[in-house]
Amino acid sequence: MPFEFEYSPAPEARTVVDIKPSYGLFVNGEFVDGNGRSFKTVSPSTEEVLAEIAEADEADVDAAVKAARRAYTRVWSKMSGAERGKYLFRIARILQERAREFAVLESIDNGKPIKESRDVDVPLAAAHFFYYAGWADKLEYAGLGPAPQPLGVAGQVIPWNFPLLMLAWKIAPALACGNTVVLKPAETTPLTALLFAEVCQQADLPPGVVNIVTGAGETGRAVVGHPDVDKVAFTGSTEVGKAIARTVAGSRKKVTLELGGKGANIVFDDAPVDQAVEGIVNGIFFNQGHVCCAGSRLLVQESVADDVLTRLKRRMSTLRVGDPLDKNTDVGAINSAEQLAKIRELSEIGEADGAGRWSVECELPSTGYWFAPTIFTGVTQAHRIAREEIFGPVLSVITFRTPKEAVEKANNTPFGLSAGVWSDKGSRILWTASQLRAGVVWSNTFNKFDPASPFGGYKESGYGREGGRHGLEAYLR
Amino acid sequence: MSTRLDVKKTYKLYIGGQFPRSESGRSYVVNDAKGTFLANASQASRKDARDAVLAARAAFGGWSGRTAYNRGQVVYRIAEVLEGRRDQFEAELRAAEGLNAAKARTYVDAAVDRLVWYAGWADKIAQVTGSANAVAGPYFNHSAPEPTGVVAIVAPSGPLLGLVSVVAPVITTGNTCVVIASEPHPLTAITLGEVMATSDLPGGVVNVLTGSVAEIAPWLASHMDVNGLDLTGVADPDLARSLEEAAADNLKRVRRPGVEDLLAAPALDRMTTFLETKTVWHPMGI
Amino acid sequence: MKATAPSPGATTFAQETASDAALRRFLHGLPGVDQVGAEQRAASLGTRSIKTESKRQAIDLAIRMVDLTTLEGMDTPGKVRALAAKAMRPDPADPSCPSTAAVCVYGDMVGVAREALGVSAGSTAGRVHVAAVATAFPSGRAPLDVKLTDTRDAVEAGADEIDMVIDRGAFLSGRYLQVYEEIVAVREACVRADGSSAHLKVILETGELQTYDNVRRASWLGMLAGGHFIKTSTGKIQPAATLPVILVMLEAVRDFRDTTGQQVGVKPAGGIRTSKDAIKHLVMVNEVVGSDWLDPDWFRFGASTLLNDLLMQRTKMQTGRYSGPDYFTLD
């Protein structure tokens, strides 16, 4: 009788977070009521309503922009870089001190596994503040001219897939460069941004330097379209990114857009196969595939395709899907009913187009939004699931014969955010990386992020870079 | 004694290394500064713009794939050939734009010098805008600039220097381009095309269209195989806005129009606007 | 899937092992191992949180997998007797505590160990095995005939299992066929007069092989030559058993079974001192090769101090309070 090693539930304690019944807007250093409209944020793993969130309208956004402008003119733009930096260091430290709280709250509101919020999102968010804190008094060394100046008020709109981390990517460089911000978190994941507002208070950040306005698309449009906003930074869908680009046309607003992708993960026949399988899994199932730079297209050399797929399926079968707060969960809940519907729809289209569907056999919870890790084999470039961003745990597998064909197929997309290359041959990796039209190329690894590493896309994946020295350029003139 | 009759030049377009007439068969009258007829310029159509984009796209792989050293040499070669034809350009500028000799010489010399300046950047821009990134893990991580692709340019009206100032930075870094020459002063642009055609510059790297900006530019701005749009020469703010809106269809990198002293020393921004940053991660292990 | 144990010089690979060149081609044709990726995978599995009932079960399984080891120059019959007593009844106060898989001693102590364990002739089922290190352990630096004699002596003295060392010098200088043939010869020396055979564990001494590519190649070499187990280390070289090394070895036995149908066991040895470490290994076995290997027949821990920590944790699980070293025997 072989031993069956079933892991007992290992839930992270939820008691470390205190979710209030309702939240206002964070304007000028205080929580305010706004116009009175509100929406609900829901836990995607249980469908439980977590809180009532104020929905900012144009007037609320205007108040936030005014607060940001005042803080910019009177305080933040006059402060020395060294002092600005010290505020950012404080914020970074507080994020570390309250890491557990942020991780749990993120997993509750977003549905991502605690393992990821704990080991990736929150530490990286803190690291981002540390990184840019150090830049605040060194901007003249950034290679952007001898006396770079801030732009003014930045309007920032972020997505729901990495709520706190995207906030850090936006706020840290903006503040380091001397700008003030009005940030709109995604409507399905506002809670960590609102907790971050408390961090700003604990750090004694001058009122108005960071303002957080919650709401959906309308609120975002008000932020982006506000005439007194000098800079727009957006992470989200390519469709909305294009709309923003049209909105700001003809204005003085500087824009950076970090949008969708359909990343190719290329596995050559000489790849370190076990690590490649890990990279494929990490590339598409990390964060339920809600990752703009996901390796959602596996391009595998035909000569090793069967072997790689066998290994991949075996590995996928060990993925633990379920309670985001369980420390052993690998794949959590889909962020919203809407997103789940989209994933289902595209998967059905994949089947209808003739691709072979294979999903992990796993018991999915009866409430909440769930989708089993899935791969499609026999996918061709002509299939919609090979071209459209699914933004879920769904991998399209395409084969190739030669390196040239791999590159052609990888680049044959309007997107250009990320790509992966797996091979034990250094020169082949460097050649392939040089040919790929993508802003981030991971060779023999995937989905790695670091505050020092610039991130952003080619083509319809957007423009501008976040992270590293390059990330400063978006917030200086 | 009879006087010799001038041989007049027919000004055509410069597309894919060739000098075709507009497929539309149209031309428009270009007058000199005094309003006297100077020449007929080709009036490019949307189909000429399409052909130019095709030529630029076809040239992109080869041009961007060349070594930076080689691209620098080719751009320097353009400067060399232009230097040898300074007298011709001076004469053209005086005739077409009514400049005096000293001013015409200043602009031609500045154009040559600008080409030399950018030529030297070809193999240095990556060192200045790239980086080795100290990430918190066992990875070799570096960022390097790469050309954006095909860039459509509306050139400003500055005499010769305007065109050189917008084209040189774009191609030095490996992009290819379709440039709409100054509408009232298109002739030196085509003569510059002759310089480029004899300067080892592969056909299609620079494509010059003459004609109506308002007619051609929207086709380039909305073209889904164009990656960048430089609106420097667009004087009408409404047109500039509508071109930028059209550019959003495939998220072209857009350089907005702005006041600029062409004779002033340039900065890096004309290059960096049409550069992408690629970051490559690689594990370090045994 | 229940697999058969391998036979020496598995015929599936007759061609691959026909010459040094062929063997080199085969071993160097195995997929590479990326160090960073392998270590991250191992670290990631190390974050599994094993609590309550699953922890209780894992601790008991780990106890049953221990090869309780003493391999010192100062080993004496008294020391070995004490070790044997501990192996049979790790927690004298608790009869429900399982015994360990084996005791592991030098060849000259096999007789003492057998006597202390009360072993008579016949089946090994249900009793603590006697494992002996052989082949000029730990360095392996002796002529082949000396190594074979060492092995035969231990088998004749009644060893159930032989832990041999490979010739790392030969391996690192690329003389793979020599390593292979030596393992085959030792495996033959494990055969008893009655035709049965002591189980052979092949120690790779991964700390000396340095790279994971080498660990993978040496693992295959050991399996091709007919080893019943592949084992990380002698315990005399640092680093010894590490999670990424075990990961690579587990991948090797998994792939070997996929190719040949033959199952080979894995034994980390050296450096595993805490229950937490042991559970991380069990998690890795579970997720990399599956429950077929979650059995003392297919996975062992070569250890000495680990056992007391397992017992302490076991008591903690039972009593709900932390225990202390004074409540467990030092042997």
Side-chain angles (χ1 to χ4, degrees), chain C residues 91-123:
Chain C
D91 185 350
D94 181 0
S96 75
C97 180
S99 53
T100 72
V103 292
C104 182
V105 295
Y106 270 110
D108 61 336
M109 291 291 170
V110 168
V112 177
R114 277 178 70 90
E115 194 187 329
L117 290 168
V119 175
S120 53
S123 166

Side-chain angles (χ1 to χ4, degrees), chain A residues 401-434:
Chain A
R401 295 160 298 176
T402 63
K404 194 161 172 280
E405 186 183 354
V407 165
E408 276 171 9
K409 285 182 166 172
N411 287 340
N412 181 215
T413 164
F415 296 114
L417 188 51
S418 72
V421 189
W422 296 85
S423 167
D424 252 0
K425 186 171 176 178
S427 57
R428 179 178 296 139
I429 283 183
L430 291 175
W431 178 84
T432 308
S434 78

Side-chain angles (χ1 to χ4, degrees), chain A residues 433 436-437 441 443 458 462 470, chain B residues 129 136 146 148 253 278-279 281:
Chain A
L436 291 166
R437 303 288 291 163
V441 178
S443 42
Y458 284 37
H470 294 75
Chain B
T129 64
E146 286 193 349
T148 293
R253 287 73 176 120
K278 178 187 280 177
T279 298
W281 293 67

Side-chain angles (χ1 to χ4, degrees), chain A residues 150-171:
Chain A
L151 302 171
V153 175
Q156 306 178 319
V157 178
I158 58 171
W160 46 261
N161 56 344
F162 295 92
L164 180 72
L165 184 58
M166 290 302 103
L167 173 150
W169 280 28
K170 295 285 179 286
I171 292 183

Side-chain angles (χ1 to χ4, degrees), chain A residues 216-290:
Chain A
E218 278 304 315
T219 310
R221 271 187 285 278
V223 171
V224 169
H226 195 288
D228 202 32
V229 160
D230 302 288
K231 152 82 193 173
V232 172
F234 172 74
T235 296
S237 73
T238 289
E239 188 194 345
V240 175
K242 289 178 180 178
I244 289 173
R246 282 181 205 108
T247 304
V248 301
S251 74
R252 69 178 191 291
K253 289 174 191 171
K254 197 164 174 171
V255 188
T256 42
L257 301 171
E258 203 272 274
L259 310 174
K262 193 73 190 177
N265 204 355
I266 303 171
V267 177
F268 285 112
D269 59 4
D270 64 345
V273 68
D274 290 304
Q275 287 72 51
V277 167
E278 286 308 309
I280 296 164
V281 167
N282 185 37
I284 188 61
F285 302 121
F286 173 64
N287 202 33
Q288 297 72 249
H290 301 328

Side-chain angles (χ1 to χ4, degrees), chain A residues 117-168:
Chain A
S117 50
R118 177 194 68 199
D119 296 345
V120 181
D121 296 60
V122 177
L124 271 180
H128 223 81
F129 277 98
F130 264 106
Y131 178 83
Y132 280 108
W135 266 120
D137 56 355
K138 300 168 190 71
L139 297 174
E140 63 273 29
Y141 297 100
L144 301 167
Q149 297 300 312
L151 302 171
V153 175
Q156 306 178 319
V157 178
I158 58 171
W160 46 261
N161 56 344
F162 295 92
L164 180 72
L165 184 58
M166 290 302 103
L167 173 150

Side-chain angles (χ1 to χ4, degrees), chain C residues 40 75 88 105 165 171 249 266 314:
Chain C
Q40 276 174 2
D75 284 348
M88 288 187 290
V105 295
V165 291
F171 182 91
M249 290 170 66
V266 176
R314 193 173 184 277

